[in-house]
């Protein structure tokens, strides 16, 4: 396994591999890897000749009040993790390499970035889309793998790749969960024991919605489902705020406010909940 620090070195290697008809799979990350990342790497490992992982905590996608400085980092641990998972190259640039002093180009994916996470984190997806497009141009992968846990991010990246004719296939893998149902996240490391137990209720609320929606002829309105989910989550003492519980079309992210006439659709139910300073997101896709 090789560690590459510059865009030009990663690009040269990729172009060389492409000339030899090697399939390149890519997993972009911000490091502090966990089982969720491992499942993405495993998917890439199965389908590719060469697997690239990038580790870069992207300052552009953090708001001024967010946890950029505190975001967990441990490169040695990540390196070991990648080696054991069969990764061939880690792209590990510093901030100057990605955003030199005169940097001035940004990617804005309109319409689907203003709602849900975008409402609370206004420039977040501009930062995500910009760094992902840069990483795809650097690594030049045949496919890139992302997690369903960041559902809106996956939609935004798919839309960007489609709109800008990027020659990379986007693969989205299911969310990996802890035993109690809590979605794996690097930020879970900040949860106290009590908060961790309560955080498992996010998935219980999502499963409740799924059970109800998949019940034949279930026609109660979405507001009723939202209020039941809110009750369940608020029953946990360490929950400080629910930012949103939302029902959307999984492809367009158009809001769904009634189950009437919804057939053959994938409904994305997503939520964001605060536990003091920590904010967790989760989602489930329901076929109806
Ligand atoms: O999902 C993440 O870890 C990040 O948003 C990504 C895609 C690596 C971009 O920084």
């Amino acid at each position: 396994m090789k560690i590459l620090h510059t865009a030009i070195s990663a690009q040269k290697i990729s172009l060389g591999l492409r000339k030899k008809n090697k399939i390149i799979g890519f997993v972009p990350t911000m490091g502090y890897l966990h089982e969720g990342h491992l499942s993405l790497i495993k998917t890439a490992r199965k389908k590719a000749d060469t697997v690239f992982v990038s580790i870069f905590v992207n300052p552009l996608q953090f708001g001024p009040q967010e946890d950029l400085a505190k975001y967990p980092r441990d490169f040695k641990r990540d390196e070991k993790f990648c080696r054991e998972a069969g990764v061939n190259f880690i792209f590990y640039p510093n901030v100057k390499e990605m955003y030199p002093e005169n940097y001035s180009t940004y990617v804005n994916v309109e319409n689907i970035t203003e709602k849900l996470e975008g409402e609370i984190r206004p420039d977040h997806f501009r930062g995500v889309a910009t760094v992902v497009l840069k990483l795809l141009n650097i690594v030049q992968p045949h496919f890139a793998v992302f997690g369903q846990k960041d559902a809106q991010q996956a939609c935004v990246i798919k839309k960007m790749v489609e709109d800008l004719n990027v020659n990379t296939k986007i693969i989205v893998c299911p969310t990996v969960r802890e035993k109690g149902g809590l979605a794996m996240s690097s930020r879970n490391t900040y949860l106290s024991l009590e908060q961790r137990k309560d955080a498992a209720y996010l998935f219980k609320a999502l499963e409740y919605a799924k059970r109800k929606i998949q019940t034949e002829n279930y026609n109660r309105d979405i507001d009723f489902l939202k209020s039941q989910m809110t009750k369940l989550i608020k029953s946990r003492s360490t929950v400080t705020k629910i930012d949103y519980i939302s029902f959307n079309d999984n492809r367009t992210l158009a809001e769904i406010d009634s189950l009437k006439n919804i057939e053959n659709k994938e409904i994305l139910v997503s939520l964001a909940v605060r536990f003091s300073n920590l904010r967790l997101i989760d989602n489930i896709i329901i076929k109806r």
Side-chain angles (χ1 to χ4, degrees), residues 33-42 81 176-177 184:
L33 305 178
H34 52 68
E35 290 298 310
H37 295 112
L38 184 62
S39 87
L40 308 183
I41 295 171
K42 272 189 184 157
F81 194 100
V176 179
R177 300 183 179 279
M184 297 261 181

Side-chain angles (χ1 to χ4, degrees), residues 203-216 218 225 232 284 286 288:
F203 188 51
K204 287 194 205 308
L206 292 168
E207 278 188 312
Y208 165 83
K210 181 171 181 173
R211 257 196 327 273
K212 290 291 177 192
I213 290 179
Q214 289 189 333
T215 303
E216 219 176 318
Y218 184 80
L225 282 179
L232 188 61
I284 201 166
I286 306 172
R288 166 126 167 153

Side-chain angles (χ1 to χ4, degrees), residues 28-30 37 54 56 58 61 71 124 128 131-132 135 146 150 153 157:
T29 82
M30 297 208 298
H37 295 112
S54 64
F56 179 62
N58 174 33
Q61 69 189 74
Y71 195 84
H124 174 68
V128 170
V131 82
V132 171
L135 290 168
F146 295 84
D150 295 297
Q153 169 172 285
I157 291 167

Side-chain angles (χ1 to χ4, degrees), residues 71-104:
Y71 195 84
R73 295 162 167 90
D74 187 344
F75 183 70
K76 282 286 153 223
R77 179 176 165 276
D78 289 344
E79 190 185 350
K80 183 166 177 280
F81 194 100
C82 285
R83 184 167 283 118
E84 287 170 5
V87 171
N88 302 98
F89 294 97
I90 298 181
F91 178 52
Y92 183 46
N94 62 25
V95 175
K96 259 206 164 147
E97 178 66 16
M98 294 298 277
Y99 306 116
E101 237 162 66
N102 55 353
Y103 190 85
S104 60

Side-chain angles (χ1 to χ4, degrees), residues 1-25:
M1 187 179 76
K2 272 199 175 145
I3 296 156
L4 309 168
H5 295 281
T6 63
I8 196 82
S9 62
Q11 218 169 33
K12 253 191 196 158
I13 287 173
S14 287
L15 291 173
L17 289 164
R18 275 186 168 257
K19 267 193 194 140
K20 290 186 202 150
N21 289 324
K22 299 288 181 202
I23 301 293
I24 303 170

Side-chain angles (χ1 to χ4, degrees), residues 150-168:
D150 295 297
Q152 191 176 7
Q153 169 172 285
C155 286
V156 170
I157 291 167
K158 278 189 193 159
K159 188 79 175 83
M160 173 187 78
V161 161
E162 187 188 324
D163 286 355
L164 297 182
N165 309 92
V166 181
N167 192 17
T168 297

